[in-house]
Amino acid sequence: MMLPCHNNLAVTNERSPRVARSRCRRLRQSRTVTAVVAVAALLISTTAWLSLVFSGTTTRCWRRFKDWEGSPLSLSRSLPWSSSPISRSIPAPPRFQSPLASPRNRSLSERANEKQELLLNDIVFGIAGSLHLWKQRKELLRLWWRPLEMRGHVWLEEQVPPEEADDSLPPLMVSEDISRFRYTNPTGHPSGLRISRILTESFRLRLPDVRWFVLGDDDTVFNVDNLVAVLSKYDPSEMMYIGTPSESHSANAYFSHSMAFGGGGIAISYPLAEALSNFHDDCIERYPKLYGSDDRLHACITELGVPLTREHGFHQWDIRGNAYGLLSSHPIAPLVSIHHVEYVDPFYPGLTSLDSLKLFAKAMRMEPRSFLQRSICYDRVRRLTFSVSIGYVVQVFPNIVLPRELERSEQTYIAWNKLRHRHEFDHDTRDSYKSVCKKPVMFFLKDVMKDGNATSGSYGRAKSKDDLKRKVFCFPSSPPLQYVQKIQVLGYPLGKNWHLVPRRLCCKVNNTGDELLRLTVGQCEKGALSSFTDSL
């Protein structure tokens, strides 16, 4: 420790006062220089630190770290169950990028701003199949698959014989082994594990230019034109989970009222598929007691906090018997899919199940958006009600029936669990008419063709066991249109803004002959909806 300058002068009597003052001055100067050097060093170090922190490289690294920290992969690694060895033992295949591929998957949000039109080729289908059913189920796939326009695979548990390969159908893939996963449901089958992984395995193929993944069964019939139209309403850069629950109340109560059933089809956007692929195998290990595939998928999507977006055109069809009541009262929404088509009666009388489905698919392709849409009109003079379900049936009621009653599905079917009670269904139903005098006369589709920009459908009168009873018990009233054997329906397509305007179709009864009646069906003009019952 140094003494103050005046104390130092007091103890140096042998030196002159001038020498002492000179020494003290030099001491002060050295201290000042030391302080200046220290301040300069501090300023230099501070400047260097600030330049490092706010440099472009450091900022980008920090942003990447924050993005990783908030990603589903980071979340799954931070969870207590992320130590499972299953997901780490399955390395993802290397990313494949076609040299001609656009960077849509890497920048969906940017491309969404460009409002690119959704194409059928932007969708990848994952179809769940089984080897022992493939021979008959492939005929159902043939009804709607377009090999030159569509992408996707049928996933089987085993390889089919080489002679059964068919280029007109989706390529066949063998699912990965699922024996390492736990399955403890006493009534289900472990194949639910395999099918639940179709989305992950499809994603890991790294196909270029994918916006949506659509899952379905090999006995699901898709209306792919309407599928594209429906998905076009949504932003594929967002996490989207689209489908519908079952028609069966018991099925929804057992699984979930907010779960999309896989047979009816499930649409999943690319970002959601990417998030699921990062932790799906770990996730299904947490749910060994679940029954099938769609409930496992729903459980994992629920962990990500993505709700179900319902589209009424997807149909699980957990029904048996005569589907007439559902087909003739389709909701005002484009038909996207139907399932379990082998477990219901043929749609059109006099045809086999497969031939009936071929006619159904032909009408569906002819005018997709109007297909099965309801049109209601009235004949004031004869007090008749016409209910036209485009591509399926024309119902002629012998009295005036208002739309509210016609909207309810006539219960001509039973539930999948073979229950018949109306409370078993989660949609509006009504009992069939008990009086034969109130039952409609039905004209089912026989053929359909293009007529310019419209479709021309020929509907033939169906024979009924109630025809004789009607003549006897409804006397003196005569059966409606008793001499008409054929109805010709000229249908005009819906406009492109079908999802923004009221979509009930309007129809007009034209002049009739002895055996032929003509109807014209099209999108209602402005004001027509409020006045279409003026003739009553």
Side-chain angles (χ1 to χ4, degrees), residues 291-342:
Y291 178 87
S293 59
D294 37 17
D295 50 350
R296 282 176 167 79
L297 192 63
H298 172 249
C300 298
I301 292 175
T302 301
E303 290 192 5
L304 293 173
V306 179
L308 173 65
T309 299
R310 299 193 183 198
E311 278 289 345
H312 296 292
F314 291 82
H315 297 289
Q316 170 69 12
W317 260 31
D318 282 335
I319 63 169
R320 300 175 189 267
N322 189 351
Y324 160 79
L326 276 179
L327 291 172
S328 61
S329 60
H330 191 274
I332 304 177
L335 173 78
V336 175
S337 66
I338 53 173
H339 182 222
H340 287 151
V341 292
E342 294 176 317

Side-chain angles (χ1 to χ4, degrees), residues 60-72:
R60 288 192 296 270
C61 291
W62 175 254
R63 288 175 179 171
R64 289 177 183 174
F65 172 75
K66 294 300 289 182
D67 292 341
W68 176 87
E69 189 178 30
S71 67

Side-chain angles (χ1 to χ4, degrees), residues 179-389:
S179 59
R180 63 185 181 277
F181 296 103
R182 294 182 300 150
Y183 187 89
T184 60
N185 189 287
T187 60
H189 192 276
S191 61
L193 289 166
R194 177 182 70 86
I195 297 172
S196 74
R197 299 185 72 252
I198 287 178
L199 176 65
T200 297
E201 293 189 43
S202 297
F203 181 85
R204 289 177 180 173
L205 295 175
R206 303 294 184 181
L207 299 177
D209 297 337
V210 180
R211 286 185 169 186
W212 295 90
F213 292 90
V214 173
L215 308 176
D217 288 352
D218 54 3
D219 62 340
T220 303
V221 175
F222 282 98
N223 186 335
V224 293
D225 296 295
N226 283 351
L227 175 65
V228 172
V230 168
L231 295 184
S232 295
K233 299 191 300 179
Y234 301 100
D235 184 356
S237 67
E238 302 292 335
M239 289 191 179
M240 299 299 302
Y241 170 50
I242 301 174
T244 54
S246 171
E247 294 80 5
S248 168
H249 176 76
S250 295
N252 292 332
Y254 179 79
F255 292 101
S256 173
H257 286 268
S258 59
M259 183 188 88
F261 278 65
I266 305 173
I268 294 177
S269 63
Y270 185 91
L272 179 54
E274 183 176 31
L276 284 169
S277 69
N278 288 329
F279 81 115
H280 181 264
D281 287 347
D282 285 342
C283 176
I284 61 176
E285 273 292 284
R286 296 192 282 277
Y287 300 99
K289 295 182 180 180
L290 294 183
Y291 178 87
S293 59
D294 37 17
D295 50 350
R296 282 176 167 79
L297 192 63
H298 172 249
C300 298
I301 292 175
T302 301
E303 290 192 5
L304 293 173
V306 179
L308 173 65
T309 299
R310 299 193 183 198
E311 278 289 345
H312 296 292
F314 291 82
H315 297 289
Q316 170 69 12
W317 260 31
D318 282 335
I319 63 169
R320 300 175 189 267
N322 189 351
Y324 160 79
L326 276 179
L327 291 172
S328 61
S329 60
H330 191 274
I332 304 177
L335 173 78
V336 175
S337 66
I338 53 173
H339 182 222
H340 287 151
V341 292
E342 294 176 317
Y343 294 91
V344 295
D345 299 339
F347 294 162
Y348 304 100
L351 298 179
T352 65
S353 179
L354 184 58
D355 288 340
S356 184
L357 286 169
K358 288 180 179 178
L359 178 58
F360 187 82
K362 179 181 179 181
M364 184 171 64
R365 289 192 303 270
M366 199 69 66
E367 183 48 56
R369 294 184 187 177
S370 299
F371 183 62
L372 290 188
Q373 297 304 289
R374 174 75 67 85
S375 174
I376 302 171
C377 52
Y378 300 90
D379 185 327
R380 179 173 56 182
V381 176
R382 290 175 289 189
R383 304 290 292 176
L384 300 178
T385 299
F386 293 85
S387 176
V388 183
S389 297

Side-chain angles (χ1 to χ4, degrees), residues 117-128:
E117 179 183 2
L118 180 67
L119 303 176
L120 185 55
N121 196 46
D122 295 328
I123 302 171
V124 170
F125 288 84
I127 307 300

Side-chain angles (χ1 to χ4, degrees), residues 376-380 383-385 400-404 406 504 506-507 524 527-536:
I376 302 171
C377 52
Y378 300 90
D379 185 327
R380 179 173 56 182
R383 304 290 292 176
L384 300 178
T385 299
I400 299 300
V401 184
L402 296 178
R404 185 180 184 277
L406 292 176
R504 176 179 299 287
C506 289
C507 67
C524 297
L529 283 175
S530 60
S531 60
F532 81 107
T533 55
D534 287 350
S535 60
L536 301 184

